[in-house]
Amino acid sequence: MLVAQNDFLIIDFEGEPARTLEERRAKGSPLRDVAGMLRSFDYARWAALRAAARSDEERAQLAPLVDAWETEVRQTFLAAYAEGAAGSGLYTTFAQAQDLLGLFELDKALYELRYEINNRPDWVRIPLRGILALAGPQRPAADA
């Protein structure tokens, strides 16, 4: 957080080097940061599964645990955010923001895909799984 000209600026947590300084300094919806946090939970799930599972059998055993962890963390985070945002004037109800939040999550996952293609091609599966999950009703299988 920066204070400039008697105003508060929250700059992107990751810096996102592909975005211009102007884009990173522009004020935007707080839902963009919420979406970034949700994508971080997804990354943590897949990275933990990838690091812990040494075989397909272990992956199949651990997948429900990391899936449940992400679901619980996501629900807890969103409930706390909704409670904190209540009465702020941002939304009449947080439920009204769900479609926009989904759009910001998809935008973030697409950004991650571009980043991984350019920097860590062996991690491309993580944002691809996120994109598939956001585009469809079912989560992708845990075959990290």
Side-chain angles (χ1 to χ4, degrees), residues 17-60:
R19 298 192 194 274
T20 66
L21 182 58
E22 231 175 51
E23 288 174 312
R24 287 182 271 155
R25 294 176 95 186
K27 289 190 179 201
S29 171
L31 289 177
R32 196 173 291 280
D33 291 325
V34 173
M37 194 70 204
L38 296 176
R39 291 295 309 136
S40 293
F41 297 149
D42 188 56
Y43 255 79
R45 169 176 62 130
W46 290 111
L49 186 59
R50 179 183 174 147
R54 299 174 204 266
S55 67
D56 290 340
E57 293 79 26
E58 283 185 2
R59 191 173 295 111

Side-chain angles (χ1 to χ4, degrees), residues 14-128:
E14 297 171 353
E16 297 194 11
R19 298 192 194 274
T20 66
L21 182 58
E22 231 175 51
E23 288 174 312
R24 287 182 271 155
R25 294 176 95 186
K27 289 190 179 201
S29 171
L31 289 177
R32 196 173 291 280
D33 291 325
V34 173
M37 194 70 204
L38 296 176
R39 291 295 309 136
S40 293
F41 297 149
D42 188 56
Y43 255 79
R45 169 176 62 130
W46 290 111
L49 186 59
R50 179 183 174 147
R54 299 174 204 266
S55 67
D56 290 340
E57 293 79 26
E58 283 185 2
R59 191 173 295 111
Q61 245 180 343
L62 295 173
L65 298 174
V66 294
D67 291 351
W69 173 84
E70 186 201 2
T71 298
E72 185 169 332
V73 169
R74 182 183 175 98
Q75 288 172 349
T76 301
F77 178 78
L78 287 173
Y81 179 82
E83 183 180 330
S88 68
L90 291 172
Y91 333 98
T92 303
T93 67
F94 187 59
Q96 292 177 323
Q98 294 304 303
D99 289 341
L100 185 56
L101 178 58
L103 183 61
F104 285 138
E105 271 191 273
L106 182 58
D107 180 59
K108 180 69 172 171
L110 290 168
Y111 175 87
E112 293 163 356
L113 178 61
R114 183 176 61 234
Y115 177 87
E116 300 300 8
I117 287 170
N118 292 330
N119 298 288
R120 296 187 299 194
D122 56 323
W123 284 62
V124 164
R125 285 183 168 182
I126 295 175
L128 279 176

